[in-house]
Amino acid sequence: MASTFRFATPLIFAALGGMFSERSGVTNIGLEGMMLIGAFFGILGADKFGTWWLGLLTAIAAGAVTALLHAVLSIHLRADQIIGGTAINFLALGLTGYLYIDIYGAQGTPTDIPGIPSVNLGFLDSGSFFDVVFGDLNLMIWVAIILVPLSWVVLFKTPIGLRIRAVGEHPKAADTVGISVYGIRYGAVVLSGMLAACGGAYLSIGFLNSFNENMTAGRGFIALAAVIFGNWRPFGAAAACLLFGFSSALAKRLPEYSESAAVLFQALPYVLTLIAVAGVVGRSIPPAAVGRPYKKS
């Protein structure tokens, strides 16, 4: 169960980011690239500045810049959002791969880079189930858990959440009553990049404490599937991420009993991703204007 939270955390960050972007009407296929950017610049910042929190801020800033590029392509230039997001993914893969080899070379990242600390809950009974699961979780895991209900409150109980949903459903009507469609969409897309980068930074300086080329390994696409599974709602998306995390955690334990079963469960998140994107499960109804560029009259 503790491993489930560890594997689900980067997915939750990226899924929440994708939810905000798509709720505003912009499809964000580029979550994978934004996570990868966050992973690299997170560990680079932690290495150069000497503290994990500056590494995390560096990752968030890099994710915001990457998302801003996607926003310009999708909102102002009205490019195809799927193609734009795919370009972001390739850009991130090439850029991080080049910088990683150029800066760290064959030796790889140093082993003494400051990592995001864990939160130790000393008041739990030592050796109990709750102590084993929750007693020593990384700080970013708790942040992800807190962000789920917070995102729900922002999206469904605040004026800004109403505006985000309005421009994703009926941008022309929202524009008519004075809501800045472009402004809301820019903000939502940049926020999605920042959250996805947090997921990537957790991988590099919170979980593995190292960086490898293409280390996100499709997690951005799995997060996008979680958004669809969760019907573009925070709790649903988080539940889907926990399902994916559980299958990954289980796959790590199964080789003791069956190698073939372990391989099957390692493939399960990707199979579920294909099913979700194909729309076979749930027949989820996306925001009405998602993927459609808006041209102000």
Side-chain angles (χ1 to χ4, degrees), residues 45-65:
D47 181 25
K48 301 305 180 184
F49 294 120
T51 58
W52 65 266
W53 62 271
L54 283 176
L56 181 59
L57 288 179
T58 304
I60 292 172
V65 171

Side-chain angles (χ1 to χ4, degrees), residues 4 8 229 238-248 268-269 272:
T4 294
F229 264 24
C241 291
L242 288 173
L243 172 63
F244 295 145
F246 178 73
S247 67
S248 298
L268 182 60
L272 292 177

